[in-house]
Amino acid sequence: MASDEQIQKWAAEAEAGYDVDALKRRGRGRPGRGAEPMQVVAVRLTAEELDALDAAASKNQMSRSEAIRAALAHFAA
């Protein structure tokens, strides 16, 4: 819950105005990995498959997504 002091700070900031160009530069969402938009693909995994994926990702200091992309690149090679 926001305190009255925080609400007053936000109100003062809003009344002073925002730098629209700075807000637009900030961007939204995750940064892209390439020049083209990426596709999101849903995959259903069993609990065992997910555990194995998480273990492999952790062992290689990767995120789940990175581990999946590495596995796909290896499979496609």
Side-chain angles (χ1 to χ4, degrees):
M1 192 158 196
S3 68
D4 288 340
E5 181 182 342
Q6 183 61 56
I7 293 171
Q8 289 301 321
K9 286 181 182 179
W10 287 332
E13 181 183 0
E15 289 170 357
Y18 296 102
D19 181 353
V20 176
D21 290 331
L23 292 173
K24 286 182 179 179
R25 276 193 307 272
R26 198 169 73 182
R28 298 181 97 163
R30 295 176 189 240
R33 293 182 47 239
E36 297 180 18
M38 296 180 61
Q39 298 289 323
V40 174
V41 178
V43 177
R44 293 179 187 261
L45 301 175
T46 65
E48 293 80 17
E49 291 168 333
L50 192 56
D51 288 343
L53 171 61
D54 287 341
S58 179
K59 178 181 175 184
N60 292 289
Q61 298 178 337
M62 301 172 127
S63 69
R64 275 184 187 170
S65 294
E66 290 169 326
I68 291 169
R69 284 192 291 269
L72 289 172
H74 178 76
F75 178 77

